[in-house]
């Protein structure tokens, strides 16, 4: 029963988790969009989500700079500011 349907699309737990909460994206719609984007490019969403999570963590810890990855901002990982709008920045960075 791990196969679910959300807005007429099949969604699975593991891919949504890896490009969702694991990378700081708490919007189901944003995580679903990332899953479909990765699928479009022929990438495994679970594995890609783990790589994205590692890269965002490296940015968050200061081990990489945004320009090292071709982006302009740092991820948002403030656990005291749980807001889909603020945390959606991570989905934009992952894209």
């Amino acid at each position: 029963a791990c196969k679910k349907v959300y807005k007429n699309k099949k969604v699975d737990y593991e891919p949504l988790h890896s490009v969702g909460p694991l990378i700081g994206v708490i919007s189901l719609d944003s995580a679903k969009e990332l899953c479909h984007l990765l699928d479009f490019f022929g990438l495994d969403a679970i594995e890609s989500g783990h790589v994205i999570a590692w890269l965002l963590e490296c940015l968050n810890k200061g081990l990489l700079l945004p320009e090292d990855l071709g982006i302009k901002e740092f991820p948002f990982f403030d656990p005291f500011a749980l807001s889909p709008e603020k945390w959606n920045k991570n989905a934009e960075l992952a894209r």
Side-chain angles (χ1 to χ4, degrees):
C2 68
K3 308 280 188 226
K4 305 291 183 226
V5 175
Y6 176 72
K7 294 187 178 179
N8 297 323
K9 294 273 188 175
K10 182 179 78 71
V11 294
D12 295 323
Y13 161 75
E14 289 175 305
L16 282 177
H17 177 72
S18 68
V19 295
L22 194 61
I23 66 168
V25 174
I26 57 177
S27 162
L28 184 57
D29 289 322
S30 293
K32 186 180 82 157
E33 288 173 19
L34 284 172
C35 276
H36 291 297
L37 180 64
L38 291 166
D39 190 44
F40 174 79
F41 286 113
L43 299 169
D44 180 75
I46 299 169
E47 186 174 335
S48 297
H50 288 227
V51 171
I52 293 167
W54 173 67
L55 291 170
L56 293 180
E57 182 68 14
C58 286
L59 286 167
N60 193 51
K61 298 283 186 187
L63 300 172
L64 290 173
L65 297 173
E67 53 269 18
D68 294 333
L69 301 177
I71 58 178
K72 298 182 192 248
E73 299 180 81
F74 285 91
F76 188 82
F77 286 124
D78 183 356
F80 298 107
L82 285 175
S83 156
E85 295 80 28
K86 289 181 181 179
W87 285 57
N88 200 47
K89 175 182 182 180
N90 296 350
E92 294 169 19
L93 294 175
R95 270 191 226 56

